[in-house]
Every structure is written in structure tokens, then in C-alpha cells.
Amino acid sequence: MEHSEINRPLEGVRVAVLLETEFIADEIAYYQKEFANLGATVDLLSYLWGDPEREFVCDIDSPLRPVRDIHTVKVSKCVTQVSAEDYGIVIMVANYCAVRLREIPPMHSLGDPSQLGEAPAVKFFAAAMRNPKIVKGAMCHALWILTPIPELLKGRKVICHTVVLADIYNAGATFVPAESHVVVDDDLVTARSFADVVPYFQAVVDTYVQRQLA
């Protein structure tokens, strides 16, 4: 293996990071920096509701800072305009983003249970789940993105925040209370919370690299 491959094992890999309002700013910054350091390109994705660009807001207390800060990020790539197949790694971010991304168009409609899997971001992540060549990452509350299509969670070994544990359990997933707070189940990597972002990120990278060598 060449020196560059050792230091930049994700050279040329595209990473999709799905977010919405109430993202964790430090999480986004971590991915952008650390994936780039390994040679990957990070695309921030969301459902843009027909707009060319949307600005999302984070007004939560950061786990790394004791004061409340307001952060914004602009996203110009819509999940309806790209394919999950374009990416080697797809990450659903933590906190309440997955909840917002489950909204069924049109916005503020009453919706219908038959449409649960029709939210564009849900369909995007579901497509990634159906492709074992794509490494998926979901931390904290992120697995909420899959509860509209429970068959994609059924039997999968995961860890998550206790807030979403009931929903994940009811969807048929197998909760693994790993002491490391990170669980790898083939092509799916999950973690309990943002506090575990470092080992979680490393698990995502290691899983991708190992699967390329297999």
C-alpha cells in the first residue's frame, strides 16, 4: 500500500451527510474536517422543498461548549437530485434532524399512514440501506429516519439514544448495549450519542476500508 493510501484511505470517496434544523454544529464540523483529512468529499444533503438552497439552524446547547450558540449552515444539494448510489458512505446526523426529514410532502399536510415511506430523505436513506456496498452511519436519534420503513431495521443490531429506543425496538431492531457505545452490524454503524463521535467516526472509516479489502 502506498504512503498516500495509508494516510488518506478514503481518497476519492464521496460521503453524504443528511441534516436539517437542530443539527449539532460540532458534529457537522467534525465530519467536514476529518473526512477531508482522509481524502473524502463531503456533501451536505437535505430535502429542500423545491428551493435551490435552504439555511438550517442549530440553536441547541453544544455538547462541547457550556454556552448556547446559534449556528447556521446552507445546503444546496437536495436528496431528490442525487442518488444514494453516488456515495460510498451515507450518514444520518444526530439530534432531531431525522424527525424533521420524515415530514411527508406537501409541508404541513395531514398525511396518511400509507405514505410513511414517501418522505424524500427517508427514501434516500432507505435506498442506501438496501445497498450493502454503501456504509451507513446513524448516531443518537438518527435511526428515526428508518422507522417509517421498519423492515429495514428488523433484525439489525444497533445502539441508539434512549429517547428513540422504544421506536427502534418496536421496529424490530436488536438493541446492543455495548460498553463502547458503538455497534457495527455489517454495513451499518450506530452510536449512542455525539459524545461518542470519535470512536463512531473511526468505526465508519474502518468498516468502509475493510469492506473494500474483502
Side-chain angles (χ1 to χ4, degrees), residues 16-114:
V17 176
L18 279 69
L19 62 84
E20 237 280 3
T21 286
E22 300 302 1
F23 61 91
I24 297 175
D26 292 320
E27 180 186 4
I28 305 304
Y30 189 90
Y31 296 149
Q32 290 177 315
K33 176 183 177 183
E34 298 301 329
F35 276 124
N37 286 343
L38 299 180
T41 299
V42 175
D43 286 346
L44 301 182
L45 304 180
S46 191
Y47 181 50
L48 302 183
W49 296 94
D51 297 332
E53 180 180 81
R54 289 180 73 88
E55 184 174 69
F56 299 107
V57 178
C58 164
D59 60 359
I60 63 171
D61 290 324
S62 169
L64 298 185
R65 289 185 297 274
V67 296
R68 181 179 291 270
D69 293 327
I70 304 296
H71 297 270
T72 61
V73 63
K74 292 182 178 180
V75 176
S76 57
K77 289 184 181 290
C78 184
V79 291
T80 61
Q81 298 171 336
V82 293
S83 169
E85 309 296 325
D86 296 333
Y87 298 94
I89 299 171
V90 174
I91 290 178
M92 179 66 242
V93 303
N95 209 39
Y96 298 108
C97 297
V99 173
R100 293 174 177 272
L101 285 172
R102 294 186 308 180
E103 184 168 1
I104 303 168
M107 187 181 288
H108 307 311
S109 66
L110 290 176
D112 185 280
S114 66

Side-chain angles (χ1 to χ4, degrees), residues 178-200:
E179 292 185 6
S180 66
H181 293 178
V182 177
V183 172
V184 179
D185 180 30
D186 294 327
D187 54 336
L188 177 63
V189 182
T190 54
R192 186 191 178 278
S193 73
F194 176 74
D196 309 300
V197 69
V198 175
Y200 164 72

Side-chain angles (χ1 to χ4, degrees), residues 102-164:
R102 294 186 308 180
E103 184 168 1
I104 303 168
M107 187 181 288
H108 307 311
S109 66
L110 290 176
D112 185 280
S114 66
Q115 299 174 305
L116 287 176
E118 295 303 307
V122 171
K123 293 173 70 175
F124 181 91
F125 203 86
M129 287 292 294
R130 294 186 177 106
N131 185 343
K133 295 182 179 179
I134 302 171
V135 173
K136 279 72 64 176
M139 180 169 63
C140 196
H141 301 61
L143 286 174
W144 259 331
I145 196 71
L146 289 176
T147 53
I149 311 179
E151 59 267 28
L152 294 177
L153 270 173
K154 187 176 182 179
R156 299 306 299 260
K157 297 176 182 177
V158 302
I159 192 169
C160 60
H161 196 288
T162 53
V163 169
V164 299

